[in-house]
């Protein structure tokens, strides 16, 4: 129904956008990026379990369960023993925030399927706007006089807003209308690979 679609948009804006952006960026002040990526890449595990209970056409089969488990193992292998060893160096609170952010992303995957009646562009614009409004109170905690962002930093913020946020949200909603929640969540496994390639090309970062 229509009210479910609009409720889903609100949940996506708050739980799927504002909350995970805040908790993960806060956690990365303490947690290594490789460890944070491992948590985010685990989102399909949560989505697969949730979808099993919420949707009749997205049940966990032995083959799907094996595929998700293998995918998660692949992510762990990608980062190597250094990432696993980082578990001991990061604070428990920061790791909990990473895990919480991952759960938020999983909930947003499930929620998005309840808004298939809303056009992808409208839905994406709606939940991104709601997410932005949700974070407005945090502006009162910022000392604007101490801020002096460079032109490159400003360009980076604009680029993140247009590409990985605005355009990606539209593509995300188009895919959620055509596929299952579990299938879409599997894109999380590609994040480490793509990040590594872009990091090398842009900043000459090399995984060791």
């Amino acid at each position: 129904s229509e009210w479910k679609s609009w409720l889903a948009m609100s949940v996506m804006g708050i739980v799927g956008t504002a909350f995970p952006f805040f908790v993960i960026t806060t956690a990365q002040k303490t947690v290594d990026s490789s460890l944070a990526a491992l948590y985010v890449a685990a989102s399909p595990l949560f989505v697969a379990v949730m979808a099993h209970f919420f949707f009749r056409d997205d049940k966990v089969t032995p083959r799907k369960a094996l595929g998700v488990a293998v995918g998660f193992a692949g992510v762990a292998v990608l980062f190597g023993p250094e990432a696993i060893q980082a578990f001991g160096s990061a604070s428990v609170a920061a790791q909990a925030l990473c895990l919480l952010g991952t759960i938020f992303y999983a909930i947003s995957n499930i929620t998005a399927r309840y808004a298939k009646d809303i056009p992808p562009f409208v839905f994406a614009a709606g939940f991104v706007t709601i997410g932005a409004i949700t974070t407005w109170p945090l502006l009162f905690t910022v000392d604007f006089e101490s801020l002096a962002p460079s032109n490159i930093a400003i360009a980076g913020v604009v680029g993140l807003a247009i590409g990985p946020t605005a355009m990606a949200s539209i593509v995300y909603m188009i895919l959620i209308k055509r596929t299952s929640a579990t299938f879409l969540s599997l894109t999380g496994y590609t994040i480490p690979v793509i990040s590594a390639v872009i990091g090398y090309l842009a900043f000459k970062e090399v995984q060791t």
Side-chain angles (χ1 to χ4, degrees):
S1 60
E2 184 176 347
W3 72 268
K4 286 185 178 182
S5 296
W6 289 102
L7 178 60
M9 181 186 294
S10 299
V11 173
M12 280 284 293
I14 299 172
V15 179
T17 305
F19 286 0
F21 284 8
F22 176 74
V23 297
I24 291 177
T25 53
T26 300
Q28 285 199 278
K29 293 181 179 179
T30 305
V31 174
D32 294 340
S33 60
S34 58
L35 178 56
L38 276 174
Y39 275 109
V40 174
S43 180
L45 296 173
F46 296 104
V47 173
V49 174
M50 293 179 185
H52 178 79
F53 295 101
F54 282 93
F55 308 117
R56 295 180 178 178
D57 61 342
D58 204 0
K59 297 296 184 180
V60 174
T61 62
R63 182 178 180 182
K64 181 184 294 185
L66 177 61
V68 172
V70 169
F72 181 69
V75 171
V77 171
L78 175 65
F79 286 104
E82 292 81 4
I84 304 300
Q85 293 171 1
F87 277 96
S89 63
S91 71
V92 174
Q95 292 187 48
L97 287 177
C98 284
L99 182 60
L100 184 61
T102 300
I103 295 174
F104 283 148
Y105 279 133
I107 294 174
S108 70
N109 267 274
I110 298 299
T111 305
R113 286 204 60 185
Y114 288 101
K116 288 189 173 184
D117 295 335
I118 301 180
F121 179 82
V122 175
F123 189 87
F127 77 72
V128 169
T129 300
I130 293 172
I133 294 174
T134 302
T135 60
W136 283 356
L138 296 177
L139 291 175
F140 294 103
T141 67
V142 178
D143 181 10
F144 289 97
E145 294 183 356
S146 65
L147 297 179
S150 64
N151 291 332
I152 294 179
I154 295 175
V157 172
V158 173
L160 287 172
I162 296 175
T165 303
M167 296 181 65
S169 295
I170 296 173
V171 174
Y172 178 92
M173 290 313 305
I174 293 175
L175 290 175
I176 203 68
K177 291 172 71 72
R178 298 182 179 182
T179 63
S180 66
T182 301
F183 177 85
L184 184 58
S185 72
L186 295 178
T187 58
Y189 289 138
T190 67
I191 292 176
V193 178
I194 296 176
S195 297
V197 172
I198 295 177
Y200 175 77
L201 294 178
F203 307 109
K204 301 302 179 182
E205 294 179 348
V206 179
Q207 295 290 333
T208 57

